[in-house]
Amino acid sequence: MSGGGTMLSTQVNVLAKRSMRKTLRQPFQLFPIVFFPIILLAVNASGLKSATELVGFPTRSYVSFAIAVAFIQGAMFALINTGTNLAEDIESGFFNRLALTPLRRVSLIAGLLVGVAAIGALQSAVYILIGLVVGTHLDAGFGGALVVIALGSLTTLAFGALGCAAALWTGSGEAVQGLFPLFFVFVFLSSSNLPRNLLGTGWFHTVANWNPISYLIEAFRSLYIYGWDSTALWRGFAVAAGLGVIALLASSGALRKRLQRT
């Protein structure tokens, strides 16, 4: 590896560790990432378990059906936490001081996102374990668990990149946090509570079909209730990758604008 490549790798590694420590050391950030999605899962599973009696519902366990939403909610909280942490660095002047060092510009964002991806893998593993405790069945087995972790990490990275873009454009933690209701609406207007074939309301069915969150949820869900569904999986990975590319392009543009003002 060239000296420049080694230096970039070292910079990314240092910033990734800082990003992870900043999240792991703050309980108020860890609680929503890990526990809030599980609390919502318990509430939804209790209130909607009778939906499993509908003709065409794909499983008799609503918990196995609904746990997919936890991975998306975890990624949404990663968006808020990542964006808020970056905005705090901008507001405190730390980001500007960092930008004035010989640090490679790409590592400013890459380090954050490597840390976010690692947190995404960790929280996905936690959701899998908690799911097993409460009675979910991962039909795809151990290999499926690894795919869930990989997809969870990629999805969290994509959402985290959106948080970075928002923080770089606005420089405000409050503005980043204001995005949460918007993304929560996207989850609600998806196939989060019922499969798309059972969404009877015409406009809701149309919105869920066009909503990319539906395909992310269905990719996670397929591993729990169908085993290996290649169509659901490639759609989910394609949506996560596409969202990540768009978010990275937005972050790159916002970073250039931010550095021009430094």
Side-chain angles (χ1 to χ4, degrees):
M1 183 181 290
S2 66
T6 302
M7 182 178 294
L8 176 61
S9 176
T10 300
Q11 292 172 355
V12 170
N13 184 51
V14 170
L15 291 175
K17 288 181 178 178
R18 177 181 181 270
S19 172
M20 292 179 65
R21 285 196 298 266
K22 195 167 183 179
T23 298
L24 294 174
R25 288 177 177 176
Q26 301 185 68
F28 72 90
Q29 289 193 0
L30 281 179
F31 180 82
I33 286 177
V34 176
F35 295 106
F36 190 68
I38 298 302
I39 292 171
L40 287 180
L41 171 64
V43 171
N44 288 337
S46 175
L48 296 173
K49 61 183 179 181
S50 59
T52 59
E53 299 173 8
L54 294 172
V55 176
F57 199 86
T59 178
R60 302 304 297 172
S61 169
Y62 193 83
V63 174
S64 296
F65 177 85
I67 193 171
V69 182
F71 297 93
I72 307 302
Q73 291 170 338
M76 288 171 52
F77 282 113
L79 180 159
I80 301 303
N81 289 342
T82 303
T84 300
N85 288 339
L86 180 55
E88 287 176 354
D89 285 343
I90 293 171
E91 291 173 326
S92 68
F94 177 80
F95 184 84
N96 288 345
R97 293 194 297 273
L98 206 61
L100 293 173
T101 69
L103 197 70
R104 296 277 292 275
R105 298 298 179 257
V106 65
S107 64
L108 291 172
I109 299 302
L112 272 176
L113 295 181
V114 169
V116 168
I119 292 292
L122 178 61
Q123 71 189 34
S124 296
V126 170
Y127 295 153
I128 291 171
L129 292 174
I130 293 176
L132 292 174
V133 170
V134 299
T136 62
H137 175 67
L138 186 58
D139 201 63
F142 180 74
L146 296 180
V147 175
V148 167
I149 292 172
L151 182 56
S153 180
L154 179 60
T155 302
T156 304
L157 186 150
F159 277 81
L162 284 176
C164 287
L168 289 167
W169 280 113
T170 66
S172 167
E174 290 79 6
V176 174
Q177 292 169 11
L179 292 174
F180 183 80
L182 173 64
F183 282 94
F184 195 82
V185 168
F186 270 95
V187 173
F188 177 75
L189 295 175
S190 70
S191 56
S192 57
N193 293 324
L194 286 174
R196 282 182 290 141
N197 62 298
L198 294 181
L199 294 175
T201 305
W203 69 267
F204 200 115
H205 185 272
T206 300
V207 171
N209 278 337
W210 284 95
N211 188 348
I213 299 297
S214 292
Y215 300 100
L216 285 172
I217 290 173
E218 289 164 11
F220 286 109
R221 180 176 291 154
S222 68
L223 293 161
Y224 274 90
I225 63 178
Y226 296 121
W228 296 98
D229 183 337
S230 58
T231 299
L233 287 175
W234 80 254
R235 285 176 175 172
F237 274 98
V239 167
L243 181 62
V245 169
I246 292 170
L248 288 172
L249 290 174
S251 295
S252 177
L255 178 62
R256 283 196 299 270
K257 292 285 187 182
R258 174 66 54 183
L259 292 178
Q260 287 173 2
R261 289 177 261 167
T262 302

